[in-house]
Amino acid sequence: MKIFPNRRGRIAAALAATITLTAMPAAALEPLSQERYINDRLIAARIADRIRRECPSIDGRIVYAYSQARALMKYARKQGYTQAQIEAFLDSKPDRKRIYAVADDYMARNGVKSGDAESYCRLGREEIAKKTVTGSLLSAR
């Protein structure tokens, strides 16, 4: 015995399932400050920015960095975050301080010393060689 013996019955069942699924509340998104993919890339961008500013032999790939920033915005929107949520996160001073602190900690753990341009250059060359996200935002002269 078929529950939906004809095409009309199958269509009705599909519509009922669709209505049921769309009536369910969407899963709550974690705060952007906890979204790992986004935060990891913002930290990498901060590290790359510090390296390009402090190391005279490494440049930033500015056009590429801009395209990556746009891709990251698109990723966030695709995950379900609104433009207002994204802008609030990017404008948040506490979140910016946290990202900067994580980047500073990473650089310190990797031998970067404030005022020592060569330590920034060394880390930049390593990141480029390892083909990390940070390295992809840099170019050695």
Side-chain angles (χ1 to χ4, degrees), residues 96-112:
R96 186 175 305 137
K97 285 178 80 171
R98 178 185 51 77
I99 287 167
Y100 286 13
V102 172
D104 290 345
D105 179 62
Y106 177 85
M107 289 184 291
R109 285 185 289 111
N110 284 279
V112 170

Side-chain angles (χ1 to χ4, degrees), residues 26-109:
L29 292 169
E30 63 187 334
L32 274 164
S33 62
Q34 296 174 14
E35 210 288 343
R36 186 173 179 159
Y37 180 85
I38 291 171
N39 281 263
D40 286 352
R41 273 142 188 81
L42 291 174
I43 293 163
R46 172 63 179 172
I47 295 166
D49 186 53
R50 289 292 310 279
I51 290 170
R52 79 170 181 89
R53 290 174 186 269
E54 301 293 331
C55 175
S57 63
I58 293 181
D59 290 321
R61 297 179 59 205
I62 304 301
V63 173
Y64 179 73
Y66 179 74
S67 72
Q68 291 303 298
R70 289 183 54 82
L72 198 55
M73 292 278 277
K74 186 176 179 180
Y75 171 84
R77 293 297 306 267
K78 190 174 182 180
Q79 297 307 307
Y81 296 99
T82 66
Q83 191 64 34
Q85 288 172 311
I86 295 166
E87 289 174 15
F89 171 65
L90 294 175
D91 291 341
S92 166
K93 288 183 181 181
D95 284 321
R96 186 175 305 137
K97 285 178 80 171
R98 178 185 51 77
I99 287 167
Y100 286 13
V102 172
D104 290 345
D105 179 62
Y106 177 85
M107 289 184 291
R109 285 185 289 111

